[in-house]
Structures are given as structure tokens and as C-alpha cells.
């Protein structure tokens, strides 16, 4: 990592692209506030947050003091949570329909078997909602069968087994009660999904699978707005414009940035443009048949000299394709490829044994660890990157990629958009 002895960034614009998340973006401000204070105390610098001034997207201002060097950053969240909410059906039957469509999209295209050759963690995470929703359905059917059978036995006892109109009515009532029991079981599980996350994850994977890897029109329109916001920042008097894409937000950022560079909207004499992808799940999209645009954008961005692209994941994050070069595994790497620099956040080394033990089985929390404090920090420090005096390019200049990265072509679908 470069030394901080000379200040390169006095003012920075940061754009954070969240993953598939229906929650209001204030959660990211509160996460940043809490975790930056903890990291500052551990690492010996100061971070202060202030409300954002002016209009535009939701965000906040940060002042970082690293020794004698002071850096200010305007952080904005590029919001698509409304699109996420619109995609999340509240209907139980609709969710099971999504299950069937999503399973067919990944199995029928061959993507599932190829994804399993990368990392087992995210594939297990993808199979979990399918398996657990099927378990819920099986329990609902068992409840329906049990109630109906008990009702049938009660009807037989009450009528002596005589096939009378009364007996038939009791049997119909028992069947109806069985149906009610099955619905109650399914509704109970749906109400408890904040504990199980089966419905949430199902909606997440279904969102990618519905269009076989393409982006829906509403999301494409929103990505255009994201690009306009970034271009405005590139024409501001700042030293660095940093785009951070987390989880599903990483592949959205890839396409947004590729569009801007391809269209000549990144000024040559403007601020340094940097892209930090965190906990990416790019293969879940790029391995699908209709992900032509994403594969083309990955290929283009990987060869661009207009930006610095660093990709950070960790094998301890079971929800990400850890250390999988998203360009290479998607089968679109060419000899001109220069990005991304694939690095490990190495949770087992950058978190103390006590903290790792506390977080090890909290899979969703670990997926957000990139945005949090490390009590044994290495050269990855989210708050120094977003609020410190060193640009992303200089911070990792000369840094070798992780030796355990996966950079072989695995996807069976490699066609790109014209």
C-alpha cells in the first residue's frame, strides 16, 4: 500500500451502489457512522459525518483527518430500492412460481453446474431458498393431510361410517380445514422470513433469472440516471470520483461505468475515476444466456485506461464469488485485459479470533463486512479508501493480485452485445 506521507486527495465524491436491498438507504449512513468511528479508534485517525447539503440523491458528508491531512468526501447512495420492492411479490403462490422459473433458468441454461465449479458458498446460498421453500410446502401439505385425515376419522366416528349426506358434509369440512391449515403454515413461515430470509433470497435470484441475465427496462433507465450523477461529479473540482458497487450493485456499476467511458463522457483532464467492487456476485448474472450486455461491459471495462478497478472479496463471505475474477470466469477476458485487481479481504486474518468466532456463522453480516471495521486491519480499509488522502490507484499501485484468485474461463455463455 502506498504511503500517506503526501496528500493526493483533498476532496472526493463517492457513489455507493447497493445490492438487491428494499430498505431505505439511511441504513448505509448509520452503518458508515457506527463502523467508521470504530475503525478510526482502532487505526488512529478521525472521521466525522455531517448531513448532506443541497439536493440530489440521498447521502452524507465525511471529513477524514489522517495525521495532518484532511480529506472531505461527499457520499451518495445510488438508489434502486424502489425497483427492488416492486419486484418482491407479497403473494405466496407468486413466490413459488418464481421458484420454478428461477430453477429452470439456472438449470436449463447449464449455468448452475458451471457456477458450482467456482465457489460452493454462493451456490449453496442460491439453493437454500429453493430447498427451504420446498420444505415449507411439504410441511403445509403434511398439515393439510393430517387435519383432513383426523377430520375424516371424526366423521366416520360421528356417523358410524354410513355414507350419508351428513358424512359427506363432514368430509368436505375436514378437507376445507386441511386447506386452511396448509395456508396457515405457509403464512407463518412468510411472517417469519426476517429470520429465515427464504422469500427475500428467492426474490433476489428471481430478479436476475427473470430476464435471463438482461436488465429490465426500469433498471436500465435508473442506471442512466446513475451515470448522469457520476458525470456531474466528474466535472466538479474534486480529486477523485470513487464508485463503490457492493454485491449485486457491482455488476450494475460495471455497466454504468462502461457506458460512460464508451460514450466519451469521462473527461480526460478530470478527476481520477476509481471503481471498487465488493462482495461481487457477477457470475450469477454473467453466466446466464441473455447477459450479453453485462459480458460486453465486463470485457470493455477490463481493458479501459480511464479508471482504476479493484475487486475485493473474501473466502469467508459465503454469499460472494470470492477471489473469482469476474471478467475471466465469465469467459470474456482478452490479452488487453488490465482490470480488475483481485484482492482478498482475508477475514480470518483481518478479524481477531474472537470477532471471527462471533461472526463466522452470520452469513449476511459477513457479506457486509467490507463496509465495516476490522479489528486487525490489513491494506483494505473501507473508510481510509472513501475518506482518506490516498487515491485508490495509488493505494494499490504495484500490488500483486491474490495468489488464490480464480481466473479461468468457466461460463458456457460468452457472447457479448454488439
Amino acid at each position: 500500500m502506498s504511503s500517506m506521507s503526501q496528500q493526493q486527495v483533498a476532496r472526493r465524491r463517492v457513489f455507493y451502489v447497493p445490492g438487491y436491498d428494499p430498505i431505505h438507504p439511511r441504513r448505509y449512513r448509520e452503518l458508515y457512522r457506527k463502523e467508521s468511528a470504530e475503525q478510526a479508534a482502532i487505526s488512529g485517525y478521525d472521521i466525522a459525518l455531517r448531513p448532506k447539503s443541497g439536493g440530489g440523491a440521498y447521502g452524507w458528508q465525511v471529513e477524514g483527518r489522517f495525521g495532518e491531512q484532511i480529506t472531505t468526501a461527499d457520499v451518495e447512495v445510488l438508489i434502486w430500492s424502489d425497483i427492488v420492492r416492486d419486484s418482491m411479490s407479497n403473494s405466496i403462490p407468486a413466490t413459488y412460481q418464481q421458484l420454478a422459473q428461477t430453477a429452470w433458468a439456472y438449470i436449463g441454461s447449464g449455468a448452475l453446474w458451471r457456477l458450482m465449479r467456482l465457489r460452493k458458498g454462493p451456490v449453496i446460498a442460491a439453493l437454500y431458498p429453493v430447498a427451504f421453500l420446498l420444505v415449507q410446502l411439504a410441511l403445509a401439505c403434511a398439515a393439510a393431510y393430517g387435519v383432513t385425515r383426523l377430520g375424516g376419522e371424526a366423521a366416520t366416528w360421528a356417523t358410524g361410517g354410513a355414507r350419508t349426506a351428513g358424512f359427506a358434509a363432514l368430509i368436505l369440512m375436514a378437507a376445507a380445514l386441511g386447506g386452511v391449515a396448509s395456508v396457515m403454515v405457509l403464512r407463518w413461515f412468510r411472517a417469519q422470513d426476517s429470520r429465515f430470509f427464504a422469500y427475500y433470497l428467492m426474490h433476489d435470484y428471481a430478479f436476475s433469472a427473470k430476464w435471463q441475465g438482461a436488465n429490465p427496462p426500469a433498471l436500465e433507465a435508473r442506471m442512466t440516471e446513475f451515470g448522469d450523477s457520476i458525470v456531474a461529479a466528474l466535472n466538479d473540482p474534486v480529486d477523485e470520483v470513487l464508485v463503490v458497487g457492493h454485491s449485486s450493485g457491482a455488476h450494475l456499476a460495471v455497466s454504468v461505468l462502461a457506458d460512460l467511458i464508451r460514450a466519451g463522457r469521462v473527461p480526460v483532464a478530470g478527476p481520477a475515476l476509481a471503481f471498487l467492487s465488493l462482495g461481487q456476485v457477477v457470475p450469477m448474472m454473467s453466466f446466464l444466456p441473455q447477459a450479453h450486455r453485462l459480458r460486453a461491459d465486463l470485457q470493455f471495462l477490463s481493458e479501459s485506461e480511464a479508471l482504476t478497478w479493484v475487486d475485493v472479496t473474501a473466502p469467508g463471505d459465503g454469499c460472494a464469488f470470492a477471489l473469482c475474477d469476474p471478467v475471466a470466469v465469465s469467459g470474456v477476458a482478452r490479452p488487453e485485459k488490465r482490470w480488475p485487481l483481485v484482492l482478498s479481504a482475508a477475514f480470518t486474518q483481518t478479524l481477531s479470533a474472537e470477532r471471527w468466532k462471533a461472526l463466522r456463522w452470520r452469513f449476511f453480516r459477513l457479506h457486509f463486512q467490507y463496509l465495516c471495521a476490522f479489528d486487525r486491519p490489513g491494506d483494505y480499509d473501507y473508510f481510509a479508501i472513501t475518506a482518506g488522502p490516498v487515491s485508490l490507484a495509488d493505494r494499490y499501485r504495484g500490488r500483486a493480485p491474490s495468489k488464490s484468485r480464480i481466473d479461468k474461463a468457466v461460463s458456457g455463455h460468452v457472447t457479448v452485445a454488439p
Side-chain angles (χ1 to χ4, degrees):
M1 186 177 75
S2 297
S3 168
M4 292 187 184
S5 59
Q6 183 177 1
Q7 181 158 1
Q8 297 135 346
V9 180
R11 190 178 172 203
R12 177 185 286 112
R13 293 286 299 277
V14 180
F15 294 92
Y16 175 73
V17 188
Y20 186 87
D21 188 350
I23 307 300
H24 191 280
R26 72 170 62 90
R27 70 179 295 185
Y28 296 108
R29 181 196 63 192
E30 291 307 305
L31 183 67
Y32 194 103
R33 178 189 59 77
K34 175 180 178 293
E35 297 294 332
S36 65
E38 182 176 345
Q39 190 68 71
I42 292 169
S43 300
Y45 52 76
D46 293 308
I47 294 278
L49 269 66
R50 295 189 299 270
K52 179 184 176 182
S53 59
Y58 183 88
W60 58 91
Q61 292 183 326
V62 184
E63 181 179 279
R65 184 183 294 272
F66 291 71
E68 298 300 316
Q69 300 172 347
I70 299 175
T71 299
T72 59
D74 290 294
V75 182
E76 292 187 10
V77 180
L78 298 180
I79 300 170
W80 60 294
S81 54
D82 56 322
I83 296 176
V84 172
R85 287 192 296 272
D86 289 344
S87 73
M88 299 178 75
S89 170
N90 290 320
S91 163
I92 293 173
T95 300
Y96 279 93
Q97 183 180 6
Q98 286 183 336
L99 185 156
Q101 293 171 341
T102 302
W104 173 247
Y106 281 99
I107 296 173
S109 68
L112 179 63
W113 320 119
R114 292 180 178 273
L115 289 169
M116 292 176 70
R117 292 164 56 185
L118 294 176
R119 295 288 185 185
K120 298 297 189 294
V123 175
I124 292 172
L127 292 176
Y128 161 74
V130 174
F132 194 48
L133 285 170
L134 290 177
V135 167
Q136 294 177 27
L137 184 61
L139 290 174
C141 291
Y145 172 77
V147 170
T148 302
R149 181 172 180 175
L150 286 174
E153 292 176 354
T156 300
W157 177 82
T159 63
R163 297 298 189 265
T164 63
F167 177 80
L170 290 173
I171 291 295
L172 288 175
M173 184 181 297
L177 289 174
V180 170
S182 67
V183 170
M184 290 177 65
V185 169
L186 291 172
R187 286 185 174 178
W188 184 86
F189 276 111
R190 181 69 180 88
Q192 300 298 314
D193 202 57
S194 59
R195 295 168 53 197
F196 301 128
F197 296 103
Y199 279 79
Y200 166 75
L201 287 172
M202 191 70 259
H203 296 319
D204 187 353
Y205 298 123
F207 186 77
S208 301
K210 184 175 182 180
W211 289 274
Q212 293 279 316
N215 295 321
L219 185 56
E220 284 286 355
R222 188 63 53 84
M223 289 162 63
T224 299
E225 296 176 11
F226 293 171
D228 292 341
S229 298
I230 295 169
V231 167
L234 288 167
N235 288 282
D236 276 354
V238 298
D239 302 302
E240 182 182 52
V241 173
L242 172 65
V243 178
V244 179
H246 176 240
S247 192
S248 301
H251 68 73
L252 300 187
V254 164
S255 291
V256 170
L257 290 169
D259 283 349
L260 298 185
I261 297 170
R262 203 183 275 121
R265 301 182 70 189
V266 176
V268 176
L273 177 60
F275 174 35
L276 177 65
S277 51
L278 303 173
Q280 55 88 5
V281 291
V282 169
M284 290 298 296
M285 282 284 287
S286 65
F287 279 34
L288 290 172
Q290 299 303 315
H292 309 295
R293 168 171 168 43
L294 176 56
R295 289 190 289 267
D297 294 339
L298 286 165
Q299 186 179 77
F300 177 82
L301 205 66
S302 72
E303 300 170 4
S304 176
E305 298 181 6
L307 85 169
T308 296
W309 178 7
V310 176
D311 180 69
V312 179
T313 50
D317 174 12
C319 297
F321 283 90
L323 304 182
C324 294
D325 184 315
V327 180
V329 300
S330 299
V332 293
R334 298 191 294 197
E336 298 82 4
K337 178 181 179 294
R338 56 193 299 137
W339 308 115
L341 173 62
V342 177
L343 301 177
S344 176
F347 291 167
T348 56
Q349 301 172 35
T350 53
L351 296 170
S352 65
E354 294 76 16
R355 183 165 293 191
W356 174 244
K357 182 179 180 181
L359 295 177
R360 186 174 184 180
W361 303 110
R362 296 176 59 189
F363 301 113
F364 290 102
R365 170 60 178 78
L366 282 173
H367 193 47
F368 281 86
Q369 178 59 41
Y370 311 98
L371 312 177
C372 299
F374 292 84
D375 58 350
R376 294 176 56 188
D379 64 355
Y380 172 73
D381 180 334
Y382 181 64
F383 308 103
I385 290 171
T386 55
V390 179
S391 68
L392 189 71
D394 285 326
R395 174 174 291 275
Y396 293 109
R397 192 178 304 281
R399 176 74 150 78
S402 173
K403 292 181 181 179
S404 55
R405 75 189 186 282
I406 299 174
D407 58 1
K408 61 183 178 181
V410 177
S411 176
H413 300 281
V414 297
T415 54
V416 299

